[in-house]
Amino acid sequence: EADIYQTPRYLVIGTGKKITLECSQTMGHDKMYWYQQDPGMELHLIHYSYGVNSTEKGDLSSESTVSRIRTEHFPLTLESARPSHTSQYLCASSGQPGQGMLAGGVEQFFGPGTRLTVL
Amino acid sequence: KNQVEQSPQSLIILEGKNCTLQCNYTVSPFSNLRWYKQDTGRGPVSLTIMTFSENTKSNGRYTATLDADTKQSSLHITASQLSDSASYICVVSDRGSTLGRLYFGRGTQLTVWP
């Protein structure tokens, strides 16, 4: 079954730790995204990727970094977590296998999210 | 600045009742508008998608409307169920970028009471 997965679902860590949030999709989508969402607020795009070896920063400035070595995998890394990084992180993907970049119309499918708390 | 505004911010209704959620947007050039349902602690799931030429679309008990002239959309939920309790997010996409940039509203938090 095609889907998009995120691990861990919940993470509580101390300040200064390095963390990696995992995101994988089995739909063969070329485009992938990371969003940050605080309670009661809209989703903010922090990173996106058009495909393998492509990564771009989104609208919201973030100290995190991403990589896209494989089509299905788009991990997000924080080198030194701080309490200001406490938030929900949502991964998404879009596009059909083999298609080029499309404008607007393709639906984004979201993972279940990772709730990060930095103490 | 492209924006998506939703109202009300929160809504409580009794099981079996109907409700309507509103979305106003200024995104241009407009490509499409989606309503997503987001359960607590989960990622958003698409309910409907509407393009410029569509003004009504249904998905079971969910009916979305779009007025592209006034840049308004609504989501009507009929015969509400307890499982409808969630945040409903209006998402507008522009056609000015190859990424398909999405603009998110803050959502309407719907609570259905028994």
PDB file of all heavy atoms in Angstrom, chain A residues 5-41:
ATOM      1  N   TYR A   5       5.439   7.878   5.533  1.00  0.00           N
ATOM      2  CA  TYR A   5       5.704   7.509   6.910  1.00  0.00           C
ATOM      3  C   TYR A   5       6.656   8.506   7.552  1.00  0.00           C
ATOM      4  O   TYR A   5       7.580   9.011   6.895  1.00  0.00           O
ATOM      5  CB  TYR A   5       6.346   6.113   6.968  1.00  0.00           C
ATOM      6  CG  TYR A   5       5.567   5.043   6.251  1.00  0.00           C
ATOM      7  CD1 TYR A   5       5.853   4.721   4.923  1.00  0.00           C
ATOM      8  CD2 TYR A   5       4.547   4.350   6.893  1.00  0.00           C
ATOM      9  CE1 TYR A   5       5.142   3.741   4.263  1.00  0.00           C
ATOM     10  CE2 TYR A   5       3.839   3.358   6.235  1.00  0.00           C
ATOM     11  CZ  TYR A   5       4.138   3.068   4.921  1.00  0.00           C
ATOM     12  OH  TYR A   5       3.425   2.091   4.265  1.00  0.00           O
ATOM     13  N   GLN A   6       6.432   8.739   8.835  1.00  0.00           N
ATOM     14  CA  GLN A   6       7.345   9.579   9.601  1.00  0.00           C
ATOM     15  C   GLN A   6       7.678   8.896  10.916  1.00  0.00           C
ATOM     16  O   GLN A   6       6.811   8.348  11.583  1.00  0.00           O
ATOM     17  CB  GLN A   6       6.717  10.950   9.903  1.00  0.00           C
ATOM     18  CG  GLN A   6       6.575  11.845   8.690  1.00  0.00           C
ATOM     19  CD  GLN A   6       6.081  13.223   9.068  1.00  0.00           C
ATOM     20  OE1 GLN A   6       5.005  13.645   8.671  1.00  0.00           O
ATOM     21  NE2 GLN A   6       6.903  13.940   9.833  1.00  0.00           N
ATOM     22  N   THR A   7       8.957   8.946  11.260  1.00  0.00           N
ATOM     23  CA  THR A   7       9.393   8.448  12.566  1.00  0.00           C
ATOM     24  C   THR A   7      10.444   9.387  13.136  1.00  0.00           C
ATOM     25  O   THR A   7      11.209  10.001  12.369  1.00  0.00           O
ATOM     26  CB  THR A   7      10.006   7.030  12.457  1.00  0.00           C
ATOM     27  OG1 THR A   7      11.103   7.062  11.531  1.00  0.00           O
ATOM     28  CG2 THR A   7       8.979   6.015  12.008  1.00  0.00           C
ATOM     29  N   PRO A   8      10.493   9.523  14.471  1.00  0.00           N
ATOM     30  CA  PRO A   8       9.504   8.995  15.401  1.00  0.00           C
ATOM     31  C   PRO A   8       8.225   9.828  15.375  1.00  0.00           C
ATOM     32  O   PRO A   8       8.197  10.899  14.769  1.00  0.00           O
ATOM     33  CB  PRO A   8      10.227   9.145  16.748  1.00  0.00           C
ATOM     34  CG  PRO A   8      11.074  10.365  16.568  1.00  0.00           C
ATOM     35  CD  PRO A   8      11.538  10.323  15.152  1.00  0.00           C
ATOM     36  N   ARG A   9       7.170   9.347  15.968  1.00  0.00           N
ATOM     37  CA  ARG A   9       5.935  10.123  16.053  1.00  0.00           C
ATOM     38  C   ARG A   9       6.039  11.184  17.135  1.00  0.00           C
ATOM     39  O   ARG A   9       5.488  12.281  17.008  1.00  0.00           O
ATOM     40  CB  ARG A   9       4.749   9.207  16.343  1.00  0.00           C
ATOM     41  CG  ARG A   9       4.393   8.260  15.206  1.00  0.00           C
ATOM     42  CD  ARG A   9       3.884   9.019  13.986  1.00  0.00           C
ATOM     43  NE  ARG A   9       2.958  10.090  14.317  1.00  0.00           N
ATOM     44  CZ  ARG A   9       1.693   9.911  14.631  1.00  0.00           C
ATOM     45  NH1 ARG A   9       1.179   8.693  14.640  1.00  0.00           N
ATOM     46  NH2 ARG A   9       0.921  10.941  14.932  1.00  0.00           N
ATOM     47  N   TYR A  10       6.736  10.852  18.211  1.00  0.00           N
ATOM     48  CA  TYR A  10       6.937  11.793  19.319  1.00  0.00           C
ATOM     49  C   TYR A  10       8.399  11.712  19.741  1.00  0.00           C
ATOM     50  O   TYR A  10       8.979  10.628  19.775  1.00  0.00           O
ATOM     51  CB  TYR A  10       6.029  11.445  20.512  1.00  0.00           C
ATOM     52  CG  TYR A  10       4.569  11.412  20.159  1.00  0.00           C
ATOM     53  CD1 TYR A  10       3.951  10.225  19.767  1.00  0.00           C
ATOM     54  CD2 TYR A  10       3.799  12.575  20.203  1.00  0.00           C
ATOM     55  CE1 TYR A  10       2.610  10.202  19.432  1.00  0.00           C
ATOM     56  CE2 TYR A  10       2.455  12.556  19.868  1.00  0.00           C
ATOM     57  CZ  TYR A  10       1.873  11.364  19.484  1.00  0.00           C
ATOM     58  OH  TYR A  10       0.544  11.330  19.149  1.00  0.00           O
ATOM     59  N   LEU A  11       8.972  12.871  20.073  1.00  0.00           N
ATOM     60  CA  LEU A  11      10.369  12.914  20.490  1.00  0.00           C
ATOM     61  C   LEU A  11      10.542  14.014  21.519  1.00  0.00           C
ATOM     62  O   LEU A  11      10.196  15.165  21.258  1.00  0.00           O
ATOM     63  CB  LEU A  11      11.282  13.160  19.283  1.00  0.00           C
ATOM     64  CG  LEU A  11      12.781  13.223  19.544  1.00  0.00           C
ATOM     65  CD1 LEU A  11      13.263  11.906  20.139  1.00  0.00           C
ATOM     66  CD2 LEU A  11      13.526  13.537  18.260  1.00  0.00           C
ATOM     67  N   VAL A  12      11.083  13.651  22.671  1.00  0.00           N
ATOM     68  CA  VAL A  12      11.408  14.617  23.722  1.00  0.00           C
ATOM     69  C   VAL A  12      12.900  14.510  23.979  1.00  0.00           C
ATOM     70  O   VAL A  12      13.390  13.436  24.322  1.00  0.00           O
ATOM     71  CB  VAL A  12      10.625  14.335  25.019  1.00  0.00           C
ATOM     72  CG1 VAL A  12      10.980  15.378  26.079  1.00  0.00           C
ATOM     73  CG2 VAL A  12       9.126  14.342  24.756  1.00  0.00           C
ATOM     74  N   ILE A  13      13.622  15.606  23.777  1.00  0.00           N
ATOM     75  CA  ILE A  13      15.071  15.580  23.932  1.00  0.00           C
ATOM     76  C   ILE A  13      15.549  16.822  24.660  1.00  0.00           C
ATOM     77  O   ILE A  13      14.795  17.794  24.818  1.00  0.00           O
ATOM     78  CB  ILE A  13      15.785  15.499  22.569  1.00  0.00           C
ATOM     79  CG1 ILE A  13      15.411  16.712  21.718  1.00  0.00           C
ATOM     80  CG2 ILE A  13      15.459  14.205  21.847  1.00  0.00           C
ATOM     81  CD1 ILE A  13      16.288  16.883  20.531  1.00  0.00           C
ATOM     82  N   GLY A  14      16.805  16.780  25.079  1.00  0.00           N
ATOM     83  CA  GLY A  14      17.384  17.915  25.754  1.00  0.00           C
ATOM     84  C   GLY A  14      18.059  18.876  24.791  1.00  0.00           C
ATOM     85  O   GLY A  14      18.406  18.509  23.661  1.00  0.00           O
ATOM     86  N   THR A  15      18.260  20.070  25.232  1.00  0.00           N
ATOM     87  CA  THR A  15      18.909  21.104  24.423  1.00  0.00           C
ATOM     88  C   THR A  15      20.323  20.674  24.028  1.00  0.00           C
ATOM     89  O   THR A  15      21.057  20.098  24.834  1.00  0.00           O
ATOM     90  CB  THR A  15      18.980  22.421  25.217  1.00  0.00           C
ATOM     91  OG1 THR A  15      17.652  22.865  25.485  1.00  0.00           O
ATOM     92  CG2 THR A  15      19.727  23.493  24.450  1.00  0.00           C
ATOM     93  N   GLY A  16      20.667  20.968  22.777  1.00  0.00           N
ATOM     94  CA  GLY A  16      22.005  20.689  22.275  1.00  0.00           C
ATOM     95  C   GLY A  16      22.157  19.362  21.571  1.00  0.00           C
ATOM     96  O   GLY A  16      23.187  19.109  20.933  1.00  0.00           O
ATOM     97  N   LYS A  17      21.135  18.505  21.648  1.00  0.00           N
ATOM     98  CA  LYS A  17      21.225  17.197  21.002  1.00  0.00           C
ATOM     99  C   LYS A  17      21.025  17.320  19.499  1.00  0.00           C
ATOM    100  O   LYS A  17      20.295  18.182  19.020  1.00  0.00           O
ATOM    101  CB  LYS A  17      20.180  16.250  21.576  1.00  0.00           C
ATOM    102  CG  LYS A  17      20.330  15.992  23.068  1.00  0.00           C
ATOM    103  CD  LYS A  17      21.593  15.240  23.376  1.00  0.00           C
ATOM    104  CE  LYS A  17      21.648  14.899  24.869  1.00  0.00           C
ATOM    105  NZ  LYS A  17      22.907  14.210  25.225  1.00  0.00           N
ATOM    106  N   LYS A  18      21.661  16.415  18.768  1.00  0.00           N
ATOM    107  CA  LYS A  18      21.445  16.322  17.330  1.00  0.00           C
ATOM    108  C   LYS A  18      20.329  15.325  17.075  1.00  0.00           C
ATOM    109  O   LYS A  18      20.316  14.231  17.652  1.00  0.00           O
ATOM    110  CB  LYS A  18      22.717  15.862  16.628  1.00  0.00           C
ATOM    111  CG  LYS A  18      22.556  15.660  15.126  1.00  0.00           C
ATOM    112  CD  LYS A  18      23.850  15.185  14.481  1.00  0.00           C
ATOM    113  CE  LYS A  18      23.667  14.961  12.977  1.00  0.00           C
ATOM    114  NZ  LYS A  18      24.930  14.524  12.324  1.00  0.00           N
ATOM    115  N   ILE A  19      19.391  15.691  16.230  1.00  0.00           N
ATOM    116  CA  ILE A  19      18.280  14.795  15.930  1.00  0.00           C
ATOM    117  C   ILE A  19      18.023  14.730  14.433  1.00  0.00           C
ATOM    118  O   ILE A  19      18.332  15.664  13.692  1.00  0.00           O
ATOM    119  CB  ILE A  19      16.969  15.247  16.611  1.00  0.00           C
ATOM    120  CG1 ILE A  19      16.548  16.631  16.112  1.00  0.00           C
ATOM    121  CG2 ILE A  19      17.105  15.230  18.116  1.00  0.00           C
ATOM    122  CD1 ILE A  19      15.140  16.998  16.463  1.00  0.00           C
ATOM    123  N   THR A  20      17.490  13.589  14.008  1.00  0.00           N
ATOM    124  CA  THR A  20      17.068  13.419  12.615  1.00  0.00           C
ATOM    125  C   THR A  20      15.647  12.898  12.612  1.00  0.00           C
ATOM    126  O   THR A  20      15.349  11.888  13.243  1.00  0.00           O
ATOM    127  CB  THR A  20      17.987  12.446  11.865  1.00  0.00           C
ATOM    128  OG1 THR A  20      19.305  13.002  11.799  1.00  0.00           O
ATOM    129  CG2 THR A  20      17.475  12.224  10.441  1.00  0.00           C
ATOM    130  N   LEU A  21      14.778  13.622  11.903  1.00  0.00           N
ATOM    131  CA  LEU A  21      13.401  13.183  11.715  1.00  0.00           C
ATOM    132  C   LEU A  21      13.319  12.492  10.357  1.00  0.00           C
ATOM    133  O   LEU A  21      13.739  13.043   9.345  1.00  0.00           O
ATOM    134  CB  LEU A  21      12.451  14.386  11.753  1.00  0.00           C
ATOM    135  CG  LEU A  21      12.567  15.307  12.973  1.00  0.00           C
ATOM    136  CD1 LEU A  21      11.486  16.380  12.929  1.00  0.00           C
ATOM    137  CD2 LEU A  21      12.504  14.524  14.267  1.00  0.00           C
ATOM    138  N   GLU A  22      12.775  11.280  10.385  1.00  0.00           N
ATOM    139  CA  GLU A  22      12.737  10.481   9.162  1.00  0.00           C
ATOM    140  C   GLU A  22      11.407  10.645   8.430  1.00  0.00           C
ATOM    141  O   GLU A  22      10.356  10.774   9.058  1.00  0.00           O
ATOM    142  CB  GLU A  22      12.955   9.005   9.502  1.00  0.00           C
ATOM    143  CG  GLU A  22      14.260   8.693  10.209  1.00  0.00           C
ATOM    144  CD  GLU A  22      15.458   8.818   9.303  1.00  0.00           C
ATOM    145  OE1 GLU A  22      15.289   8.916   8.068  1.00  0.00           O
ATOM    146  OE2 GLU A  22      16.594   8.806   9.830  1.00  0.00           O
ATOM    147  N   CYS A  23      11.487  10.632   7.102  1.00  0.00           N
ATOM    148  CA  CYS A  23      10.291  10.666   6.265  1.00  0.00           C
ATOM    149  C   CYS A  23      10.530   9.786   5.050  1.00  0.00           C
ATOM    150  O   CYS A  23      11.534   9.958   4.340  1.00  0.00           O
ATOM    151  CB  CYS A  23       9.970  12.094   5.817  1.00  0.00           C
ATOM    152  SG  CYS A  23       8.568  12.181   4.671  1.00  0.00           S
ATOM    153  N   SER A  24       9.626   8.869   4.809  1.00  0.00           N
ATOM    154  CA  SER A  24       9.733   7.989   3.660  1.00  0.00           C
ATOM    155  C   SER A  24       8.371   7.859   2.993  1.00  0.00           C
ATOM    156  O   SER A  24       7.350   7.819   3.669  1.00  0.00           O
ATOM    157  CB  SER A  24      10.215   6.597   4.070  1.00  0.00           C
ATOM    158  OG  SER A  24      11.521   6.648   4.585  1.00  0.00           O
ATOM    159  N   GLN A  25       8.386   7.782   1.658  1.00  0.00           N
ATOM    160  CA  GLN A  25       7.132   7.582   0.918  1.00  0.00           C
ATOM    161  C   GLN A  25       7.324   6.468  -0.115  1.00  0.00           C
ATOM    162  O   GLN A  25       8.397   6.300  -0.685  1.00  0.00           O
ATOM    163  CB  GLN A  25       6.662   8.885   0.248  1.00  0.00           C
ATOM    164  CG  GLN A  25       7.696   9.636  -0.554  1.00  0.00           C
ATOM    165  CD  GLN A  25       7.652   9.375  -2.026  1.00  0.00           C
ATOM    166  OE1 GLN A  25       6.788   8.641  -2.528  1.00  0.00           O
ATOM    167  NE2 GLN A  25       8.582   9.965  -2.756  1.00  0.00           N
ATOM    168  N   THR A  26       6.257   5.722  -0.280  1.00  0.00           N
ATOM    169  CA  THR A  26       6.303   4.559  -1.182  1.00  0.00           C
ATOM    170  C   THR A  26       5.506   4.807  -2.453  1.00  0.00           C
ATOM    171  O   THR A  26       5.150   3.860  -3.169  1.00  0.00           O
ATOM    172  CB  THR A  26       5.750   3.316  -0.466  1.00  0.00           C
ATOM    173  OG1 THR A  26       4.398   3.577  -0.066  1.00  0.00           O
ATOM    174  CG2 THR A  26       6.585   2.977   0.746  1.00  0.00           C
ATOM    175  N   MET A  27       5.212   6.059  -2.759  1.00  0.00           N
ATOM    176  CA  MET A  27       4.375   6.401  -3.905  1.00  0.00           C
ATOM    177  C   MET A  27       5.195   6.785  -5.136  1.00  0.00           C
ATOM    178  O   MET A  27       4.623   7.124  -6.166  1.00  0.00           O
ATOM    179  CB  MET A  27       3.432   7.542  -3.514  1.00  0.00           C
ATOM    180  CG  MET A  27       2.446   7.128  -2.433  1.00  0.00           C
ATOM    181  SD  MET A  27       1.435   8.480  -1.781  1.00  0.00           S
ATOM    182  CE  MET A  27       2.572   9.222  -0.620  1.00  0.00           C
ATOM    183  N   GLY A  28       6.526   6.801  -5.006  1.00  0.00           N
ATOM    184  CA  GLY A  28       7.368   7.174  -6.131  1.00  0.00           C
ATOM    185  C   GLY A  28       7.277   8.651  -6.488  1.00  0.00           C
ATOM    186  O   GLY A  28       7.636   9.050  -7.606  1.00  0.00           O
ATOM    187  N   HIS A  29       6.813   9.475  -5.547  1.00  0.00           N
ATOM    188  CA  HIS A  29       6.668  10.896  -5.824  1.00  0.00           C
ATOM    189  C   HIS A  29       8.024  11.575  -5.974  1.00  0.00           C
ATOM    190  O   HIS A  29       8.972  11.279  -5.250  1.00  0.00           O
ATOM    191  CB  HIS A  29       5.892  11.576  -4.693  1.00  0.00           C
ATOM    192  CG  HIS A  29       4.436  11.261  -4.709  1.00  0.00           C
ATOM    193  ND1 HIS A  29       3.589  11.548  -3.658  1.00  0.00           N
ATOM    194  CD2 HIS A  29       3.652  10.716  -5.666  1.00  0.00           C
ATOM    195  CE1 HIS A  29       2.361  11.180  -3.967  1.00  0.00           C
ATOM    196  NE2 HIS A  29       2.379  10.663  -5.173  1.00  0.00           N
ATOM    197  N   ASP A  30       8.087  12.534  -6.900  1.00  0.00           N
ATOM    198  CA  ASP A  30       9.343  13.233  -7.095  1.00  0.00           C
ATOM    199  C   ASP A  30       9.508  14.391  -6.110  1.00  0.00           C
ATOM    200  O   ASP A  30      10.604  14.670  -5.645  1.00  0.00           O
ATOM    201  CB  ASP A  30       9.477  13.734  -8.537  1.00  0.00           C
ATOM    202  CG  ASP A  30       8.260  14.512  -9.006  1.00  0.00           C
ATOM    203  OD1 ASP A  30       7.263  14.586  -8.279  1.00  0.00           O
ATOM    204  OD2 ASP A  30       8.318  15.055 -10.140  1.00  0.00           O
ATOM    205  N   LYS A  31       8.436  15.074  -5.780  1.00  0.00           N
ATOM    206  CA  LYS A  31       8.539  16.237  -4.891  1.00  0.00           C
ATOM    207  C   LYS A  31       8.195  15.873  -3.451  1.00  0.00           C
ATOM    208  O   LYS A  31       7.226  15.151  -3.189  1.00  0.00           O
ATOM    209  CB  LYS A  31       7.622  17.354  -5.388  1.00  0.00           C
ATOM    210  CG  LYS A  31       8.121  17.974  -6.682  1.00  0.00           C
ATOM    211  CD  LYS A  31       7.281  19.145  -7.138  1.00  0.00           C
ATOM    212  CE  LYS A  31       5.982  18.695  -7.767  1.00  0.00           C
ATOM    213  NZ  LYS A  31       6.205  17.939  -9.031  1.00  0.00           N
ATOM    214  N   MET A  32       9.006  16.385  -2.534  1.00  0.00           N
ATOM    215  CA  MET A  32       8.760  16.175  -1.108  1.00  0.00           C
ATOM    216  C   MET A  32       8.952  17.476  -0.357  1.00  0.00           C
ATOM    217  O   MET A  32       9.668  18.377  -0.833  1.00  0.00           O
ATOM    218  CB  MET A  32       9.677  15.073  -0.554  1.00  0.00           C
ATOM    219  CG  MET A  32       9.415  13.697  -1.161  1.00  0.00           C
ATOM    220  SD  MET A  32      10.289  12.343  -0.360  1.00  0.00           S
ATOM    221  CE  MET A  32       9.358  12.191   1.172  1.00  0.00           C
ATOM    222  N   TYR A  33       8.302  17.563   0.792  1.00  0.00           N
ATOM    223  CA  TYR A  33       8.219  18.818   1.529  1.00  0.00           C
ATOM    224  C   TYR A  33       8.314  18.554   3.033  1.00  0.00           C
ATOM    225  O   TYR A  33       7.890  17.506   3.513  1.00  0.00           O
ATOM    226  CB  TYR A  33       6.871  19.505   1.275  1.00  0.00           C
ATOM    227  CG  TYR A  33       6.410  19.515  -0.168  1.00  0.00           C
ATOM    228  CD1 TYR A  33       5.819  18.391  -0.742  1.00  0.00           C
ATOM    229  CD2 TYR A  33       6.529  20.657  -0.946  1.00  0.00           C
ATOM    230  CE1 TYR A  33       5.370  18.399  -2.054  1.00  0.00           C
ATOM    231  CE2 TYR A  33       6.082  20.674  -2.264  1.00  0.00           C
ATOM    232  CZ  TYR A  33       5.504  19.537  -2.811  1.00  0.00           C
ATOM    233  OH  TYR A  33       5.078  19.565  -4.111  1.00  0.00           O
ATOM    234  N   TRP A  34       8.828  19.543   3.758  1.00  0.00           N
ATOM    235  CA  TRP A  34       8.757  19.569   5.209  1.00  0.00           C
ATOM    236  C   TRP A  34       8.038  20.850   5.621  1.00  0.00           C
ATOM    237  O   TRP A  34       8.375  21.945   5.162  1.00  0.00           O
ATOM    238  CB  TRP A  34      10.143  19.545   5.853  1.00  0.00           C
ATOM    239  CG  TRP A  34      10.715  18.184   6.010  1.00  0.00           C
ATOM    240  CD1 TRP A  34      11.671  17.589   5.244  1.00  0.00           C
ATOM    241  CD2 TRP A  34      10.380  17.228   7.023  1.00  0.00           C
ATOM    242  NE1 TRP A  34      11.951  16.327   5.711  1.00  0.00           N
ATOM    243  CE2 TRP A  34      11.174  16.082   6.803  1.00  0.00           C
ATOM    244  CE3 TRP A  34       9.493  17.230   8.094  1.00  0.00           C
ATOM    245  CZ2 TRP A  34      11.105  14.947   7.612  1.00  0.00           C
ATOM    246  CZ3 TRP A  34       9.420  16.107   8.901  1.00  0.00           C
ATOM    247  CH2 TRP A  34      10.213  14.981   8.656  1.00  0.00           C
ATOM    248  N   TYR A  35       7.052  20.659   6.527  1.00  0.00           N
ATOM    249  CA  TYR A  35       6.316  21.780   7.085  1.00  0.00           C
ATOM    250  C   TYR A  35       6.495  21.792   8.601  1.00  0.00           C
ATOM    251  O   TYR A  35       6.661  20.753   9.230  1.00  0.00           O
ATOM    252  CB  TYR A  35       4.820  21.658   6.783  1.00  0.00           C
ATOM    253  CG  TYR A  35       4.444  21.816   5.340  1.00  0.00           C
ATOM    254  CD1 TYR A  35       4.386  20.719   4.486  1.00  0.00           C
ATOM    255  CD2 TYR A  35       4.118  23.069   4.819  1.00  0.00           C
ATOM    256  CE1 TYR A  35       4.023  20.865   3.155  1.00  0.00           C
ATOM    257  CE2 TYR A  35       3.745  23.216   3.494  1.00  0.00           C
ATOM    258  CZ  TYR A  35       3.702  22.116   2.670  1.00  0.00           C
ATOM    259  OH  TYR A  35       3.342  22.266   1.357  1.00  0.00           O
ATOM    260  N   GLN A  36       6.375  22.981   9.165  1.00  0.00           N
ATOM    261  CA  GLN A  36       6.371  23.158  10.612  1.00  0.00           C
ATOM    262  C   GLN A  36       5.014  23.736  11.004  1.00  0.00           C
ATOM    263  O   GLN A  36       4.504  24.645  10.325  1.00  0.00           O
ATOM    264  CB  GLN A  36       7.495  24.103  11.042  1.00  0.00           C
ATOM    265  CG  GLN A  36       7.672  24.233  12.539  1.00  0.00           C
ATOM    266  CD  GLN A  36       8.899  25.031  12.908  1.00  0.00           C
ATOM    267  OE1 GLN A  36       9.833  25.187  12.123  1.00  0.00           O
ATOM    268  NE2 GLN A  36       8.919  25.551  14.124  1.00  0.00           N
ATOM    269  N   GLN A  37       4.413  23.184  12.054  1.00  0.00           N
ATOM    270  CA  GLN A  37       3.092  23.634  12.467  1.00  0.00           C
ATOM    271  C   GLN A  37       3.032  23.755  13.977  1.00  0.00           C
ATOM    272  O   GLN A  37       3.255  22.783  14.697  1.00  0.00           O
ATOM    273  CB  GLN A  37       2.006  22.658  11.995  1.00  0.00           C
ATOM    274  CG  GLN A  37       0.593  23.115  12.322  1.00  0.00           C
ATOM    275  CD  GLN A  37      -0.457  22.099  11.923  1.00  0.00           C
ATOM    276  OE1 GLN A  37      -0.219  20.892  11.917  1.00  0.00           O
ATOM    277  NE2 GLN A  37      -1.650  22.580  11.568  1.00  0.00           N
ATOM    278  N   ASP A  38       2.709  24.954  14.453  1.00  0.00           N
ATOM    279  CA  ASP A  38       2.481  25.186  15.874  1.00  0.00           C
ATOM    280  C   ASP A  38       0.985  25.128  16.145  1.00  0.00           C
ATOM    281  O   ASP A  38       0.168  25.351  15.240  1.00  0.00           O
ATOM    282  CB  ASP A  38       3.068  26.530  16.293  1.00  0.00           C
ATOM    283  CG  ASP A  38       4.586  26.524  16.207  1.00  0.00           C
ATOM    284  OD1 ASP A  38       5.192  25.514  16.602  1.00  0.00           O
ATOM    285  OD2 ASP A  38       5.162  27.517  15.729  1.00  0.00           O
ATOM    286  N   PRO A  39       0.575  24.825  17.391  1.00  0.00           N
ATOM    287  CA  PRO A  39      -0.858  24.670  17.700  1.00  0.00           C
ATOM    288  C   PRO A  39      -1.683  25.876  17.289  1.00  0.00           C
ATOM    289  O   PRO A  39      -1.350  27.017  17.613  1.00  0.00           O
ATOM    290  CB  PRO A  39      -0.854  24.472  19.221  1.00  0.00           C
ATOM    291  CG  PRO A  39       0.490  23.895  19.523  1.00  0.00           C
ATOM    292  CD  PRO A  39       1.433  24.545  18.561  1.00  0.00           C
ATOM    293  N   GLY A  40      -2.763  25.615  16.566  1.00  0.00           N
ATOM    294  CA  GLY A  40      -3.671  26.677  16.157  1.00  0.00           C
ATOM    295  C   GLY A  40      -3.155  27.567  15.045  1.00  0.00           C
ATOM    296  O   GLY A  40      -3.794  28.569  14.714  1.00  0.00           O
ATOM    297  N   MET A  41      -2.021  27.204  14.490  1.00  0.00           N
ATOM    298  CA  MET A  41      -1.416  28.034  13.454  1.00  0.00           C
ATOM    299  C   MET A  41      -1.368  27.279  12.133  1.00  0.00           C
ATOM    300  O   MET A  41      -1.538  26.065  12.076  1.00  0.00           O
ATOM    301  CB  MET A  41       0.002  28.449  13.862  1.00  0.00           C
ATOM    302  CG  MET A  41       0.060  29.208  15.167  1.00  0.00           C
ATOM    303  SD  MET A  41      -0.797  30.781  15.079  1.00  0.00           S
ATOM    304  CE  MET A  41       0.332  31.707  14.042  1.00  0.00           C
TER     305      MET A  41
END
